């Protein structure tokens, strides 16, 4: 049976003394890579100062139709702009490496209520967004979406990232929209 993806059967997967060989038949153990990129790809970014390369890709599997992935791809490639509406916070933009919006709390470890808008559109939809609020501190948070409080369950997850410089609040929401969305995070002490 042939694979839908490129696959290889070289050492160490198969005991063949070579460093790369595309498989043409399923006659020995092989392996594949769902995130393989070629060197000339726009995905791979060289850093001339260090001589290193970085690649950031969004990879996954689904049994849903390909059209169902279009909003997710658009939300990652063209994220909706985050506009802070209230609170002493500043947006650091969207970080593709984390698949999250990064927001800085200007009153370190002493958060006040934060209200912001995601300027979603059909070209830049919101699909299950994540947020990292830097220097929020160890306080919990209540989350309001379009003015309605959301319970912490499988639609809303909260956690903390402990760093040497401070503690970040991490929020993930299961929601989709191609219209602007207003969110409010309030500290819970």
């Amino acid at each position: 049976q042939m694979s839908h993806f490129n696959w290889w059967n070289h050492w160490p997967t198969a005991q063949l003394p070579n460093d790369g060989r595309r498989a043409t038949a399923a006659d020995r153990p092989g392996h594949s890579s769902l995130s393989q990129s070629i060197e000339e790809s726009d995905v791979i970014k060289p850093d001339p100062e260090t001589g290193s390369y970085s690649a950031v890709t969004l990879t996954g599997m689904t049994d849903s139709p390909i059209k169902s992935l279009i909003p997710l791809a658009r939300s990652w490639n063209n994220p909706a702009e985050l506009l802070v509406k209230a609170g002493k916070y500043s947006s650091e933009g969207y970080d593709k490496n984390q698949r999250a919006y990064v927001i800085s709390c200007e009153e370190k470890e002493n958060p006040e209520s934060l209200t912001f808008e995601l300027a979603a559109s059909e070209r830049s939809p919101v699909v299950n967004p994540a947020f990292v609020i830097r220097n929020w501190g160890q306080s919990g948070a209540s989350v309001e979406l379009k003015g309605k409080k959301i319970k912490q369950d499988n639609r809303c997850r909260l956690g903390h990232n402990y760093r040497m410089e401070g503690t970040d609040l991490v929020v993930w929401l299961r929601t989709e929209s191609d219209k602007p969305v207003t969110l409010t995070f309030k500290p819970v002490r």
Side-chain angles (χ1 to χ4, degrees):
Q1 174 181 354
M2 294 301 287
S3 172
H4 293 284
F5 304 98
N6 289 331
W7 55 308
W8 301 268
N9 61 8
H10 56 79
W11 187 91
T13 306
Q15 297 300 311
L16 299 172
N18 63 50
D19 63 356
R21 173 185 130 143
R22 282 214 170 142
T24 57
D27 60 345
R28 53 183 49 99
H31 70 93
S32 185
S33 173
L34 298 178
S35 62
Q36 182 71 21
S37 292
I38 58 174
E39 288 77 15
E40 295 82 26
S41 169
D42 288 339
V43 169
I44 298 175
K45 308 282 188 225
D47 183 340
E49 289 182 24
T50 64
S52 64
Y53 292 82
S54 64
V56 180
T57 59
L58 186 60
T59 305
M61 299 179 77
T62 184
D63 57 2
S64 298
I66 191 128
K67 282 188 174 188
S68 71
L69 296 175
I70 292 171
L72 175 61
R74 286 181 176 164
S75 75
W76 191 67
N77 286 319
N78 304 305
E81 184 180 4
L82 188 147
L83 307 164
V84 174
K85 298 292 187 181
K88 294 179 182 173
Y89 296 88
S90 58
S91 173
E92 294 182 22
Y94 187 79
D95 182 354
K96 280 189 169 187
N97 291 310
Q98 299 184 71
R99 196 181 170 272
Y101 291 92
V102 179
I103 303 165
S104 286
C105 178
E106 294 170 4
E107 297 286 328
K108 187 174 181 174
E109 308 288 319
N110 188 23
E112 59 182 45
S113 186
L114 162 65
T115 300
F116 61 92
E117 178 183 278
L118 293 175
S121 66
E122 189 174 318
R123 184 177 181 281
S124 299
V126 169
V127 177
N128 302 336
F131 307 92
V132 176
I133 297 86
R134 289 200 162 291
N135 299 317
W136 176 273
Q138 298 196 29
S139 298
S142 67
V143 178
E144 293 178 10
L145 174 65
K146 299 177 187 174
K148 294 182 182 174
K149 190 171 179 177
I150 300 177
K151 282 188 348 184
Q152 289 185 43
D153 57 14
N154 65 354
R155 280 192 61 212
C156 177
R157 305 251 171 105
L158 276 71
H160 290 89
N161 182 33
Y162 301 97
R163 299 176 298 112
M164 293 292 289
E165 302 82 15
T167 302
D168 306 336
L169 176 69
V170 181
V171 179
W172 174 86
L173 297 173
R174 182 184 306 270
T175 188
E176 295 187 27
S177 180
D178 60 3
K179 305 272 187 285
V181 175
T182 301
L183 290 142
T184 300
F185 298 167
K186 295 179 180 175
V188 175
R189 294 182 168 88

